[in-house]
Amino acid sequence: MVATAPFLARFRHPAQVVAAGFSFAIGIGTALLSLPIATAGGESAGWVTALFTAASAVCVTGLVVVDTDTHWSVFGEVVIAGLAQVGGLGIMTMATVFMLLVSGRLGLRARIATQAETKTLSMGDVRRLVLKLVVFSLVCEVITAAVLAGRFLIGYGESFGRALYLGGFHAVMAFNSAGFTLWPDSLIRFVADPWICLTIATAAIVGGLGFPVVFELARHWRHPRKWSVLTRVTVMVTVILLVVGTLVFLVTEWQNPKTLGALDDSDKLLAAFFTAVMPRSAGFNTLDISQMYPSSWLVTDLLMFIGGGSAGTAGGIKVTTFGMLAFIIWAELRGESRVNIGHRRLPEATQRQVITITVMGLMLVAFSTYVLLAMTPHGLDQVLFEVVSAFGTAGLSTGITASLGPAGHVLLTVLMFIGRIGPLTLGSALALNRRARHYELPEERVIVG
């Protein structure tokens, strides 16, 4: 632990530590998955396959280029689950816990770095919050694992050991929004099983809300008037997206014989709800994505791009960003000089961050889509879906991931990395110095539109 301080001292901005931590975890994961013991056949996996899988796990995405159950050994699967756990909680959160356990104290630099990762609003609360975060995560995963293991044991005749392993593995993946499964068809075989679907969906929603929001809801769930702007926007946008997504998938896919068309009405509702939850970044699917209509792909693209809550396990630009962007647009349309949410005013610095994150995300998705279209023979619908899934760390795919080739896999790896740490975090990590202007230039009105 003595070496921690020199390592952190190399970086001048907290966001750099976060980026470096995720890079280090991906490197370790790549090395472990490259070992012969990590594959079922006892042969070393190619470095691109190991890198892509490690990045997909650390960035809690769930995109795969090989079948997880048949290609990787138990050791490899445990490594993948461990990487997803580390990626879900956050490198800085885990490092903070280790420092607390060993030294019992937390230095200022580490507190600042952890604050950048956990999105806490006060450095004084970092230590207490991180410990609460870890306990909360483990409790949620244990409960999810117990329900899933019981279902696999009783409902599907799995042995006790196998049921426990399946329950634990998928509990980690569900709560951390990772999306890896131990079946080649993801969760399609469980499309009509509410025990499996609702348990995994609930874990994904809770993990994707964001830990500050979950903790505040636990304290003031009976008193919405006491909710902060963060909690109000997160809950409101999350509910709207879940309801709208479910209705859209029901209407669009109702008569599609290859998706909802073959199910009973109650099963259709369950499958549509599950499909609306998963683009939050969870990555599981109970319907064959490749057989969905292009209109459903477009809706899924939008949901994946938005993602889940801030400081949670989900990716995307975040529901808070999307919600605040809507308030910014509404205020501009009404000609108001200030953006108000409830009884609070949104700071101008936050407004700039919202616009920056959204525009950077759109530009990155557009550029990556163009590059991938030039490199592969696939159509725009499929390529755009793949790119948005990687950027939003959603893990959903139309089935073309394995056929993109090494160059395409490296591109998606970069997208997953950027999507996990956030466009603004990466940008601030690269900007070593903040330049303060000591003067103001004359203002000039420019025609817009």
Side-chain angles (χ1 to χ4, degrees):
M1 193 58 61
V2 177
T4 303
F7 173 77
L8 292 175
R10 294 174 181 270
F11 305 98
R12 300 170 58 185
H13 194 287
Q16 289 180 297
V17 185
V18 176
F22 274 92
S23 300
F24 181 74
I26 292 173
I28 294 296
T30 301
L32 292 175
L33 293 178
S34 297
L35 298 174
I37 193 177
T39 62
E43 299 178 353
S44 178
W47 74 269
V48 175
T49 299
L51 172 65
F52 186 92
T53 305
S56 184
V58 173
C59 299
V60 289
T61 304
L63 287 174
V64 296
V65 293
V66 293
D67 181 63
T68 304
D69 185 48
T70 58
H71 183 83
W72 303 108
S73 64
V74 174
F75 174 82
E77 293 170 0
V78 171
V79 169
I80 292 173
L83 293 175
Q85 183 73 78
V86 170
L89 288 176
I91 297 298
M92 285 304 97
T93 302
M94 296 297 292
T96 302
V97 174
F98 293 152
M99 282 188 284
L100 285 173
L101 292 177
V102 174
S103 65
R105 60 187 179 85
L106 187 60
L108 178 61
R109 182 182 294 274
R111 291 165 74 93
I112 296 175
T114 308
Q115 181 191 21
E117 168 59 27
T118 58
K119 306 295 189 303
T120 52
L121 301 180
S122 172
M123 285 195 300
D125 296 332
V126 171
R127 175 172 175 160
R128 179 172 54 86
L129 175 63
V130 167
L131 292 178
K132 185 188 298 185
L133 183 154
V134 173
V135 172
F136 173 76
S137 300
L138 294 179
V139 169
C140 288
E141 290 174 1
V142 168
I143 295 175
T144 304
V147 175
L148 293 177
R151 183 58 178 165
F152 291 136
L153 178 66
I154 299 174
Y156 296 92
E158 298 285 356
S159 64
F160 179 79
R162 179 63 177 173
L164 197 62
Y165 180 73
L166 291 174
F169 183 90
H170 292 93
V172 172
M173 296 302 165
F175 183 78
N176 292 288
S177 303
F180 285 85
T181 69
L182 297 180
W183 298 281
D185 61 351
S186 188
L187 300 179
I188 293 179
R189 63 188 64 192
F190 304 114
V191 63
D193 190 330
W195 282 98
I196 301 295
C197 294
L198 293 180
T199 300
I200 289 180
T202 301
I205 291 174
V206 173
L209 277 177
F211 300 114
V213 172
V214 171
F215 293 158
E216 185 171 349
L217 288 176
R219 293 193 305 268
H220 304 300
W221 66 275
R222 292 183 178 181
H223 308 284
R225 291 181 178 273
K226 296 183 179 181
W227 292 358
S228 64
V229 172
L230 172 65
T231 299
R232 290 185 181 186
V233 173
T234 300
V235 172
M236 178 183 66
V237 177
T238 297
V239 172
I240 290 175
L241 292 180
L242 289 178
V243 173
V244 172
T246 301
L247 293 177
V248 169
F249 287 125
L250 274 176
V251 173
T252 306
E253 299 291 329
W254 184 271
Q255 295 183 338
N256 187 344
K258 298 181 180 179
T259 55
L260 293 182
L263 303 176
D264 296 335
D265 290 351
S266 59
D267 295 338
K268 288 180 179 180
L269 179 60
L270 175 63
F273 173 75
F274 191 86
T275 304
V277 172
M278 292 305 108
R280 296 178 51 81
S281 187
F284 301 99
N285 62 282
T286 55
L287 299 178
D288 189 347
I289 301 295
S290 65
Q291 300 300 322
M292 294 173 68
Y293 293 133
S295 54
S296 296
W297 287 351
L298 178 60
V299 174
T300 307
D301 288 339
L302 296 174
L303 295 176
M304 291 190 297
F305 184 78
I306 296 171
S310 298
T313 58
I317 63 171
K318 310 301 184 184
V319 293
T320 46
T321 303
F322 178 75
M324 287 187 289
L325 181 64
F327 278 103
I328 293 172
I329 295 174
W330 178 244
E332 187 64 28
L333 291 176
R334 297 182 63 182
E336 298 178 352
S337 59
R338 297 290 185 268
V339 178
N340 300 320
I341 302 178
H343 299 288
R344 294 292 185 270
R345 177 170 57 86
L346 196 64
E348 293 184 1
T350 303
Q351 297 178 41
R352 291 195 298 269
Q353 291 176 358
V354 167
I355 296 173
T356 300
I357 290 175
T358 305
V359 173
M360 286 182 64
L362 290 172
M363 291 175 61
L364 184 62
V365 167
F367 175 77
S368 302
T369 301
Y370 169 79
V371 174
L372 205 57
L373 278 172
M375 293 192 306
T376 66
H378 301 292
L380 175 60
D381 289 343
Q382 291 178 305
V383 169
L384 178 62
F385 192 99
E386 206 78 10
V387 167
V388 177
S389 179
F391 171 76
T393 67
L396 299 174
S397 175
T398 59
I400 67 172
T401 308
S403 64
L404 296 178
H409 295 158
V410 172
L411 175 60
L412 292 185
T413 299
V414 174
L415 279 173
M416 290 187 289
F417 179 79
I418 296 176
R420 179 63 183 109
I421 67 174
L424 195 60
T425 300
L426 182 62
S428 59
L430 297 177
L432 298 179
N433 296 311
R434 288 187 177 181
R435 299 180 179 180
R437 289 184 179 271
H438 299 287
Y439 59 90
E440 290 290 341
L441 296 175
E443 185 180 273
E444 179 179 345
R445 301 284 292 182
V446 179
I447 298 176
V448 177

